[in-house]
């Protein structure tokens, strides 16, 4: 790149060294994948909140438990997370009813609900680790591309008889683009991870409170 070369972002990307371009390509892929995960997780958490609100409204509205269990256990109907936890506990209680003491029935229902709760939490937390990894790793990947590009820029000065800032500036600029792309990939992933983790913690507290109140 000559000192009079085009310093637009597109030009800096297309004229960067192969290693820096590969770093940019990797960061672009991570950014697209993280945004896809963000939108999917946003929709799933929003749906879980809506389904939880609807079920709790029915449950605490005085609905018959047997009727709620019949609706929840319908295989042709898509139930929510808290409703599936209720289905697991109520199903285990009805299976054990009349076979032993009340304490044994409650313990069985508690274990069934706890197992269902863990499955639901695993589903809600899916891909959160990916967002955390993108948020923590992307800046370092971009920094690697920047360091490599700066090394290449200064190495090129050895071929010039007279070195000045105009000679090295384009190479440094194209290298810094890698850091910018790394931050562009990392910042949304970190923000989304923190928000989703908080939303999931609140849902988990609601599930646990429901299980305790239901058993009581």
């Amino acid at each position: 790149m000559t000192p009079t070369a085009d310093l637009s972002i597109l030009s800096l990307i297309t004229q960067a060294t192969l290693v820096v371009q590969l770093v940019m390509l990797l960061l672009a892929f991570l950014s697209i994948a993280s945004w896809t995960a963000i939108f999917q997780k946003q929709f799933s958490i929003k749906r879980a909140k809506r389904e939880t609100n609807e079920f709790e409204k029915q449950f605490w509205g005085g609905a018959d438990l047997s009727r709620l269990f019949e609706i929840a256990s319908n295989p042709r109907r898509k139930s929510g997370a808290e409703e599936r936890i209720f289905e697991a506990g109520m199903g285990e209680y009805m299976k054990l009813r009349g076979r032993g003491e009340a304490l044994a029935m409650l313990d069985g229902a508690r274990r069934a609900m706890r197992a269902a709760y863990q499955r639901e939490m695993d589903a809600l937390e899916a891909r959160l680790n990916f967002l955390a990894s993108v948020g923590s790793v992307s800046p370092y990947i971009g920094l690697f591309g920047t360091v490599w590009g700066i090394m290449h820029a200064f190495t090129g000065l050895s071929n010039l008889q007279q070195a000045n800032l105009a000679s090295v500036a384009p190479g440094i600029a194209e290298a810094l683009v890698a850091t910018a792309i790394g931050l562009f990939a990392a910042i949304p992933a970190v923000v989304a991870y923190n928000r989703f983790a908080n939303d999931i913690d609140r849902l988990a507290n609601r599930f646990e409170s429901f299980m305790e109140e239901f058993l009581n």
Side-chain angles (χ1 to χ4, degrees):
M1 180 181 294
T2 64
T4 59
D6 183 10
L7 294 180
S8 64
I9 298 298
L10 181 60
S11 177
L12 292 175
I13 293 175
T14 56
Q15 298 187 42
T17 62
L18 178 60
V19 173
V20 177
Q21 287 181 339
L22 291 176
V23 168
M24 294 177 182
L25 182 62
L26 175 60
L27 291 172
F29 170 78
L30 291 176
S31 179
I32 294 173
S34 66
W35 276 107
T36 302
I38 288 171
F39 285 120
Q40 291 177 344
K41 186 57 61 180
Q42 175 70 25
F43 292 145
S44 65
I45 292 178
K46 184 177 180 180
R47 183 176 64 250
K49 289 180 179 179
R50 183 182 68 252
E51 292 171 344
T52 300
N53 291 334
E54 292 175 354
F55 175 73
E56 288 184 347
K57 183 178 180 180
Q58 293 179 352
F59 185 86
W60 300 116
D64 181 70
L65 295 183
S66 299
R67 176 58 180 167
L68 283 179
F69 176 71
E70 180 181 352
I71 295 175
S73 58
N74 186 351
R76 294 178 296 180
R77 179 178 175 274
K78 183 175 178 58
S79 55
E82 192 171 82
E83 190 173 2
R84 288 190 290 269
I85 294 174
F86 162 77
E87 177 190 356
M90 191 68 179
E92 187 69 15
Y93 176 82
M94 295 182 67
K95 184 173 67 175
L96 297 175
R97 186 173 57 183
R99 299 183 184 180
E101 299 179 354
L103 183 59
M105 290 186 290
L106 289 177
D107 286 340
R110 180 179 289 106
R111 289 193 298 270
M113 295 177 76
R114 179 58 60 177
Y117 164 83
Q118 191 59 55
R119 289 194 297 269
E120 298 301 331
M121 293 307 301
D122 290 341
L124 284 173
E125 293 174 351
R127 307 196 73 178
L128 274 187
N129 288 337
F130 173 74
L131 291 178
S133 298
V134 171
S136 60
V137 172
S138 294
Y140 294 102
I141 297 176
L143 181 60
F144 169 77
T146 298
V147 172
W148 185 277
I150 292 176
M151 289 173 54
H152 182 268
F154 279 103
T155 301
L157 292 178
S158 61
N159 298 325
L160 299 177
Q161 295 181 353
Q162 183 178 1
N164 51 45
L165 181 61
S167 302
V168 72
I172 295 177
E174 72 182 24
L176 291 175
V177 173
T179 296
I181 297 177
L183 294 175
F184 178 80
I187 292 175
V190 172
V191 173
Y193 173 83
N194 291 332
R195 177 182 176 183
F196 294 153
N198 180 67
D199 290 341
I200 292 174
D201 284 342
R202 295 176 64 181
L203 282 172
N205 291 333
R206 293 181 65 177
F207 295 162
E208 290 180 341
S209 298
F210 167 78
M211 290 189 294
E212 293 300 324
E213 293 173 356
F214 171 68
L215 291 172
N216 289 335

